[in-house]
């Protein structure tokens, strides 16, 4: 316990919990403190002025990170015939129809993202109780129910990150790895914030984007100056 407390004290050294750091400074501090034996994920947290219990205040969407996520994403595609072949050619890891549904129902979920052609949704709908709680159910709003399965597979492999507001009005997302350059991380963060801002629901009243924080997997959380994460006009 003493060793853990010492490590926590070390990573928090020099951090002012009350200060909102400009983005470049925050990234430098996070990268300096990312000393784990693995490549830590840089995570963003946005506090929004919405109440997602109301349908007109739900925030959901997808962001294509310009510099990739740094993750190896395994993609499953529910499709038949030509669409199934297109998905395989685009790099999908698992492709199928009834057979894939049966496999998932049996508990075989060795993928991170699900994509489906529109005609497959009556079949995929049976998996709601399995995929829904994992946030993996295909949805047209985030581009995972589409006839363009090849494009969706390439987007998922290339750094497309889905986001959905939680009960307390917070959105979390991974925006890269600690090994990324500060410029690459900054580009991803601004793209993510921009996507969330563009997804502002009609029912949102008052201040929409209230607070932004950054952290690494094993590192401290830092408040970030809102102006510094906005894309320049």
């Amino acid at each position: 316990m003493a060793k853990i407390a010492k490590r926590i004290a070390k990573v928090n050294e020099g951090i002012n919990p009350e200060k909102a750091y400009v983005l470049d400074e925050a990234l430098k501090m996070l990268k300096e403190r990312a000393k784990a034996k693995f490549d830590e994920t840089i995570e963003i947290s946005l506090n929004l002025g919405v109440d997602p219990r109301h349908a007109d205040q739900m925030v959901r969407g997808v962001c294509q990170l310009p510099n990739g996520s740094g993750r190896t994403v395994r993609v499953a595609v529910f499709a038949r015939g030509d669409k199934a072949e297109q998905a395989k050619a685009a790099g999908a890891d698992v492709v199928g129809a009834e057979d894939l549904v049966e496999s998932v129902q049996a508990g075989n979920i060795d993928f991170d993202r699900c994509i489906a052609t529109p005609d497959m949704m009556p079949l995929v709908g049976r998996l709601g109780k399995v995929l829904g709680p994992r946030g993996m159910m295909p949805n047209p709003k985030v581009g995972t129910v589409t006839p363009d399965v090849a494009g969706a597979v390439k987007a998922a492999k290339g750094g497309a990150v889905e986001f959905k507001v939680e009960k307390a009005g917070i959105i979390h997302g991974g925006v890269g790895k600690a090994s990324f350059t500060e410029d690459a991380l900054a580009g991803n963060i601004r793209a993510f914030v921009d996507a969330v801002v563009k997804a502002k629901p009609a029912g949102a009243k008052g201040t929409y984007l209230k607070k932004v924080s950054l952290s690494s997997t094993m590192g401290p959380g830092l408040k970030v100056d809102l102006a510094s994460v906005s894309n320049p006009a």
Side-chain angles (χ1 to χ4, degrees), residues 178-196:
S179 61
F180 283 22
T181 65
E182 289 172 29
D183 283 348
L185 286 168
N188 282 355
I189 289 164
R190 290 189 174 111
F192 190 92
V193 172
D194 191 48
V196 172

Side-chain angles (χ1 to χ4, degrees), residues 207-218:
T207 303
Y208 176 58
L209 184 58
K210 290 186 165 184
K211 180 180 158 189
V212 175
S213 302
L214 292 173
S215 63
S216 62
T217 308
M218 304 293 287

Side-chain angles (χ1 to χ4, degrees), residues 12 14-22 25-26 29 210-213 220-226:
N12 283 300
I15 290 174
N16 181 352
E18 302 303 316
K19 180 179 177 180
Y21 293 90
V22 294
E25 188 179 9
M29 294 175 76
K210 290 186 165 184
K211 180 180 158 189
V212 175
S213 302
L222 299 176
K223 286 185 194 174
V224 182
D225 176 69
L226 292 178

Side-chain angles (χ1 to χ4, degrees), residues 24-227:
D24 292 349
E25 188 179 9
L27 289 173
K28 184 181 180 190
M29 294 175 76
L30 286 177
K31 282 171 63 65
E32 286 173 350
R33 288 163 172 76
K35 302 295 186 185
K37 292 179 181 178
F38 60 93
D39 194 2
E40 296 183 43
T41 297
I42 301 298
E43 298 168 356
I44 191 168
S45 175
L46 289 79
N47 293 56
L48 304 179
V50 297
D51 183 350
R53 291 175 299 180
H54 301 287
D56 66 346
Q57 293 187 48
M58 173 54 65
V59 183
R60 183 172 191 171
V62 64
C63 171
Q64 189 71 41
L65 297 176
N67 300 301
S69 66
R71 287 182 62 214
T72 300
V73 179
R74 286 182 57 81
V75 180
V77 178
F78 294 90
R80 292 191 179 95
D82 288 346
K83 295 297 183 184
E85 293 307 313
Q86 289 170 21
K88 289 175 186 175
D93 299 278
V94 189
V95 182
E98 285 84 0
D99 56 332
L100 182 51
V101 170
E102 289 174 14
S103 179
V104 172
Q105 285 176 326
N108 300 316
I109 305 175
D110 60 340
F111 48 82
D112 309 294
R113 189 76 53 83
C114 281
I115 294 164
T117 53
D119 62 296
M120 293 296 296
M121 285 311 293
L123 193 62
V124 178
R126 300 177 195 170
L127 302 175
K129 289 182 180 178
V130 182
L131 298 178
R134 291 175 168 83
M136 295 169 69
M137 195 67 184
N139 188 307
K141 289 183 179 178
V142 294
T144 48
V145 176
T146 173
D148 181 15
V149 288
V153 169
K154 288 173 183 173
K157 293 276 188 180
V161 176
E162 291 182 35
F163 57 83
K164 183 179 180 181
V165 70
E166 297 170 6
K167 286 181 182 177
I170 298 172
I171 284 179
H172 296 283
V175 288
K177 297 288 184 179
S179 61
F180 283 22
T181 65
E182 289 172 29
D183 283 348
L185 286 168
N188 282 355
I189 289 164
R190 290 189 174 111
F192 190 92
V193 172
D194 191 48
V196 172
V197 169
K198 285 178 177 173
K200 180 180 179 179
K205 300 288 188 286
T207 303
Y208 176 58
L209 184 58
K210 290 186 165 184
K211 180 180 158 189
V212 175
S213 302
L214 292 173
S215 63
S216 62
T217 308
M218 304 293 287
L222 299 176
K223 286 185 194 174
V224 182
D225 176 69
L226 292 178

